[in-house]
Amino acid sequence: MTAYVFDNRRCELGEGALWHPELKQLFWFDILNKMLMTRQGDVTRRWQFDECVSAAGWVDADTLIVASEVALSRFSLSTSREDVLVPLEADRPETRSNDGRADRQGGFWIGTMGKAAEPGMGTIYRYYRGELRVVVEGITIPNGICFSEDGTRAFYACSPSRKIFSVSLDSDGWPKGEAQVFVDLTRDDLIPDGAVIDAAGLLWSAHWGASKVSGYDAEGARVADFAIPAKHCTCPAFGGPNLTTLYCTSALEALDPEEAARSENGMTFAVETEHRGLPEPRVVL
């Protein structure tokens, strides 16, 4: 199973891959160029923002919740109208949003980080029915936010630590108890980036700097790898007619000029798999 180019527009920092289950199309972001992007067949679109934007969840066929460096907003795909739901570190110009995803209970988790990846400056928040609450503090680069198929566990990574963590959730989707290390990638010298859970409970993590997406079982053992023809893989998402296509964004950021000149870097990829994803949950506003 070989990955192919799904969209050849090169992102400085591709992120936030989201398969919209009602529209049947992929959305993703170029964080540093402040753009939301999509493709449906041969038709491509992009929306330009005033601030860095990084992640989204779907609300209905026209509406996304979009995370920017200053707010979580309701965003209309048809009119490009933004309506702020809640400020997000709007008083901290040194930070921006990063990875995020909807949970099974209809909440939306979003991580923030220092724009220069300053140690410990990041936070993970959960937005649920109008309330924004801190769920993880003192993290450096929050990534890999995803949720077990039954909604009882959340996963997240701190990329520089090379660790993926897991924490139990209560019936409303709020964390309970202490987070535990789910996968320690230090010995493999791998840097976890975005992640998604499939229907069998495997966690698929993109690996920054390693040109691959890897699958981990419930015990944290690596069971599969998909090669991606870009060095910095950033965020996977399952989509397609049967949710068996694994999409993955990538980045040009932090590549040396020779590596960046490779045409595939920064593009968005797809690979047809034998694994099936889960429909992304609707965010309840």
Side-chain angles (χ1 to χ4, degrees), residues 142-210:
N143 259 314
I145 296 171
C146 56
F147 305 92
S148 62
E149 65 275 25
D150 62 2
T152 62
R153 298 195 72 78
F155 299 85
Y156 64 91
C158 178
S159 294
S161 77
R162 290 174 164 78
K163 293 181 176 69
I164 301 172
F165 299 89
S166 171
V167 64
S168 294
L169 304 178
D170 66 21
S171 59
D172 287 327
W174 295 106
K176 61 179 182 180
E178 295 295 319
Q180 305 294 323
V181 175
F182 173 65
V183 179
D184 187 342
L185 297 170
T186 307
R187 286 181 298 178
D188 296 329
D189 197 27
L190 293 172
I191 300 173
D193 208 296
V196 67
I197 300 282
D198 72 12
L202 298 179
L203 183 149
W204 295 90
S205 175
H207 292 310
W208 178 270

Side-chain angles (χ1 to χ4, degrees), residues 63-274:
T63 310
L64 302 180
I65 181 172
V66 170
S68 77
E69 62 183 277
V70 297
L72 293 179
S73 298
R74 236 184 124 100
F75 181 72
S76 168
L77 296 169
S78 60
T79 67
S80 301
R81 175 173 170 168
E82 291 179 77
D83 294 302
V84 172
L85 294 168
V86 63
L88 181 68
E89 298 190 357
D91 59 344
R92 300 186 66 191
E94 71 276 16
T95 67
R96 65 164 174 83
S97 61
N98 198 49
D99 186 70
R101 190 178 294 278
D103 61 33
R104 309 294 174 206
Q105 291 83 0
F108 185 74
W109 293 47
I110 182 65
T112 63
M113 60 177 283
K115 289 180 178 176
E118 295 89 342
M121 193 175 283
T123 304
I124 299 178
Y125 298 86
R126 183 182 188 232
Y127 178 81
Y128 184 62
R129 299 181 183 270
E131 179 185 5
L132 185 69
R133 188 190 302 179
V134 172
V135 291
V136 180
E137 294 183 279
I139 195 167
T140 298
I141 302 180
N143 259 314
I145 296 171
C146 56
F147 305 92
S148 62
E149 65 275 25
D150 62 2
T152 62
R153 298 195 72 78
F155 299 85
Y156 64 91
C158 178
S159 294
S161 77
R162 290 174 164 78
K163 293 181 176 69
I164 301 172
F165 299 89
S166 171
V167 64
S168 294
L169 304 178
D170 66 21
S171 59
D172 287 327
W174 295 106
K176 61 179 182 180
E178 295 295 319
Q180 305 294 323
V181 175
F182 173 65
V183 179
D184 187 342
L185 297 170
T186 307
R187 286 181 298 178
D188 296 329
D189 197 27
L190 293 172
I191 300 173
D193 208 296
V196 67
I197 300 282
D198 72 12
L202 298 179
L203 183 149
W204 295 90
S205 175
H207 292 310
W208 178 270
S211 303
K212 66 180 179 179
V213 176
S214 299
Y216 298 88
D217 66 16
E219 283 71 49
R222 194 169 80 219
V223 296
D225 294 299
F226 290 112
I228 302 294
K231 185 172 182 179
H232 292 329
C233 304
T234 53
C235 187
F238 279 99
N242 300 308
L243 296 179
T244 54
T245 302
L246 182 66
Y247 296 95
C248 189
T249 52
S250 70
L252 293 169
E253 185 188 32
L255 292 176
D256 63 50
E258 182 178 346
E259 187 75 22
R262 283 180 46 212
S263 61
E264 296 94 343
N265 284 302
M267 295 182 185
T268 300
F269 302 90
V271 56
E272 307 305 329
T273 79
E274 296 177 350

